Amino acid sequence: MIYPVILAGGAGARLWPVSRRSFPKQFASLMDGPSLFQRTVERVIAPGFAAPTVIAAEDYRFLAQKQVADIQAPLGQLIVEPVARNTAAAILVAALAHKDTPDAVLLILPSDHHVEDERLFLRTVNKAAGVARKGLIAALGVQPAKASTEYGYLKVEGGNDDALVISRYAEKPESRHAEAMVAEGNWLWNTGIYLFRVDTILRAFESHAPDLIGPAEAALALSGEDLGFRRLDRKAFGRCADLPFGKAVMENLDECTALHLACGWADLADWHALKEVCETDGADNLVAGNASAFECTGSILKSADPDTKIVGMGLKDIVAVATDDGILVADLSHSSDVGEMVDTLRAEGAVQADGFRRCYRPWGYYETLSLGERFQVKRIMVEPGAKLSLQSHVHRAEHWVVVSGAARVTVNEDVRLLGENESTYIPLGAVHRLENPGKLPLHLIEVQSGCYLGEDDIVRYEDDYQRDEVL
């Protein structure tokens, strides 16, 4: 069996405003249909592949769990990283989690890649698994389309198309070095997709990144199981160095093998990369959502909000992307710089840098409809069978109006059912809970009033999701 390990961290800031830290690109529907994460999971539902292990950041654990369930896919285990420590620590944890089967072949997959030809992808992976079973690390590489500083590079010499010898690895070179590599002709982009036996990669870490092993072993040994997650110990995992796998291991290997991946692979890192893999019109425009283009060429026009219409006129090589609370307008050549712009927005205190008006929670979501002095109006959706924590507020009172579905409402000692168009009042300080006992989503409007309306004004008494933090 091949054991897939899907890395589902990362914020995807260069695809702002659609991708943000609170709901990053791998979970968003950038193209029609499933998210990139869901497509990655579906890609390895095939004969000879075990149910995947997913490694997700703390903030994305419920998103990952729900998206796997939504496509009715099998899930081996979901390992939660309590702090971000890059790909070296994540890959080491995955290997340690499988150490009882040292000859098992792991397939490391980033969760934000596009693959055009799924069958060819699987054929290449199976070839690479054959190499990995011989005790080698196999890396999948693609022919560079241009000189890019966004990828690691694999220098290949000798071997054959099924197994090329890697003589050198370079982690995201400077522009002049990337140009020289592409001109040389024997360098591949590193996709970040690897196959290796468990014992092979553990020996590689022992040789080249031994300082990572102790903290990673402790993080696993002290991990806890709850709600279907395996949560790594925060203190131990925090001692792992923040290193990419390429720098920690690949740069130091004496022997490694590359396989050429020619299946229409793309790393959807920015808007230009997305345009390259999507269908465009006769003038090479990507027009998506509530958008229209008039006499435009080579541009991206996308509205992710059905109530916001984008109209482009006479544009050339322009990105114009809108959500309900943010609009990006940029020259397409600057799409790789969007992440730096988001850093500036964050420094300015713009809430749109990291969050959306719609905030997803393990029980559903809420979104702010109106916010003013001493009041806030929210729309709340609770999934069937889900319930919010038993809680109280120190600074605000709330009114709830059911729009559709059924609500079971607890206010102090009183518990009652509310149907469509019925309402209730939650006094300041009252211990209360909202539940959806029905089989359809519950939608309601919440009106808050008080001197402070922040999300941290919550005292929790019981919580099905065992959250210590406000989530």
Side-chain angles (χ1 to χ4, degrees), residues 216-224 230-236 239:
E217 286 180 330
L220 267 174
L222 298 172
S223 64
R230 185 172 186 181
R231 188 191 299 269
L232 300 174
D233 181 76
R234 178 179 293 272
K235 185 176 180 181
R239 293 199 299 269

Side-chain angles (χ1 to χ4, degrees), residues 39-202:
R39 292 172 191 263
T40 304
V41 173
E42 290 177 328
R43 196 167 296 140
V44 292
I45 301 175
F49 289 78
T53 292
V54 173
I55 301 183
E58 179 89 15
D59 290 348
Y60 310 141
R61 63 195 189 277
F62 291 109
L63 272 174
Q65 188 182 58
K66 184 177 186 304
Q67 289 206 351
V68 172
D70 284 348
I71 59 174
Q72 300 180 337
L75 178 62
Q77 58 180 328
L78 204 164
I79 299 175
V80 176
E81 294 179 302
V83 290
R85 282 297 178 267
N86 220 310
T87 53
I91 291 172
L92 175 56
V93 163
L96 290 170
H98 291 83
K99 66 180 180 180
D100 291 340
T101 52
D103 59 346
V105 173
L106 303 185
L107 164 63
I108 306 300
L109 289 170
S111 59
D112 55 358
H113 291 176
H114 169 77
V115 169
E116 190 69 34
D117 190 331
E118 303 277 357
R119 290 184 178 182
L120 183 54
F121 172 82
L122 290 177
R123 283 203 296 270
T124 306
V125 165
N126 277 296
K127 285 182 183 178
V131 172
R133 291 187 184 101
K134 299 175 183 177
L136 295 171
I137 293 176
L140 302 191
V142 299
Q143 196 68 38
K146 60 182 178 180
S148 174
T149 61
E150 302 301 320
Y151 304 100
Y153 283 73
L154 308 168
K155 187 175 185 179
V156 292
E157 297 178 356
N160 53 58
D161 288 341
D162 289 341
L164 302 165
V165 177
I166 297 176
S167 62
R168 186 181 162 200
Y169 175 87
E171 176 72 17
K172 294 184 179 180
E174 296 179 359
S175 179
R176 60 190 180 89
H177 292 148
E179 291 173 359
M181 290 172 180
V182 172
E184 195 173 340
N186 59 342
W187 291 83
L188 301 176
W189 280 344
N190 180 33
T191 65
I193 302 172
Y194 305 98
L195 291 98
F196 37 67
R197 284 171 44 132
V198 172
D199 52 3
T200 300
I201 197 61
L202 290 179

Side-chain angles (χ1 to χ4, degrees), residues 298-319:
S299 296
I300 299 174
L301 297 168
K302 177 180 175 67
S303 176
D305 178 20
D307 295 326
T308 300
K309 179 72 173 179
I310 286 187
V311 179
M313 298 182 66
L315 303 179
K316 182 179 181 181
D317 300 331
I318 293 295
V319 182

Side-chain angles (χ1 to χ4, degrees), residues 163-417:
L164 302 165
V165 177
I166 297 176
S167 62
R168 186 181 162 200
Y169 175 87
E171 176 72 17
K172 294 184 179 180
E174 296 179 359
S175 179
R176 60 190 180 89
H177 292 148
E179 291 173 359
M181 290 172 180
V182 172
E184 195 173 340
N186 59 342
W187 291 83
L188 301 176
W189 280 344
N190 180 33
T191 65
I193 302 172
Y194 305 98
L195 291 98
F196 37 67
R197 284 171 44 132
V198 172
D199 52 3
T200 300
I201 197 61
L202 290 179
R203 284 196 298 270
F205 273 101
E206 288 169 0
S207 299
H208 306 300
D211 291 345
L212 282 170
I213 295 175
E217 286 180 330
L220 267 174
L222 298 172
S223 64
E225 298 278 350
D226 70 274
L227 302 173
F229 306 121
R230 185 172 186 181
R231 188 191 299 269
L232 300 174
D233 181 76
R234 178 179 293 272
K235 185 176 180 181
F237 193 68
R239 293 199 299 269
C240 290
D242 187 356
L243 286 172
F245 178 70
K247 185 163 286 294
V249 175
M250 292 294 292
E251 281 187 348
N252 304 303
L253 290 175
D254 295 326
E255 187 175 19
C256 190
T257 299
L259 283 87
H260 189 208
L261 185 63
C263 61
W265 173 92
D267 179 7
L268 302 186
D270 56 36
W271 289 110
H272 187 276
L274 182 67
K275 179 176 177 290
E276 291 297 302
V277 302
C278 290
E279 184 176 350
T280 57
D281 64 16
D284 194 32
N285 299 304
L286 170 58
V287 183
N290 192 9
S292 299
F294 298 93
E295 298 184 10
C296 298
T297 57
S299 296
I300 299 174
L301 297 168
K302 177 180 175 67
S303 176
D305 178 20
D307 295 326
T308 300
K309 179 72 173 179
I310 286 187
V311 179
M313 298 182 66
L315 303 179
K316 182 179 181 181
D317 300 331
I318 293 295
V319 182
V321 181
T323 64
D324 63 349
D325 66 343
I327 299 174
L328 170 70
V329 181
D331 191 282
L332 192 60
S333 64
H334 287 270
S335 60
S336 62
D337 302 326
V338 172
E340 296 176 12
M341 177 274 298
V342 173
D343 290 338
T344 301
L345 290 180
R346 190 178 297 120
E348 293 174 350
V351 296
Q352 293 90 346
D354 294 315
F356 289 94
R357 292 202 307 181
R358 176 173 291 187
C359 298
Y360 288 88
R361 295 295 182 257
W363 43 260
Y365 65 79
Y366 73 83
E367 59 183 309
T368 299
L369 303 179
S370 182
L371 176 63
E373 186 175 355
R374 296 185 65 89
F375 83 92
Q376 182 170 205
V377 181
K378 289 182 177 179
R379 175 191 177 191
I380 296 176
M381 188 281 287
V382 184
E383 298 280 3
K387 57 185 174 182
L388 282 65
S389 58
L390 185 66
Q391 60 185 252
S392 65
H393 306 297
V394 177
H395 302 100
R396 71 176 185 252
E398 297 172 343
H399 295 261
W400 293 344
V401 180
V402 175
V403 176
S404 64
R408 180 183 290 122
V409 177
T410 299
V411 182
N412 293 324
E413 302 300 322
D414 180 47
V415 180
R416 60 193 179 110
L417 288 173

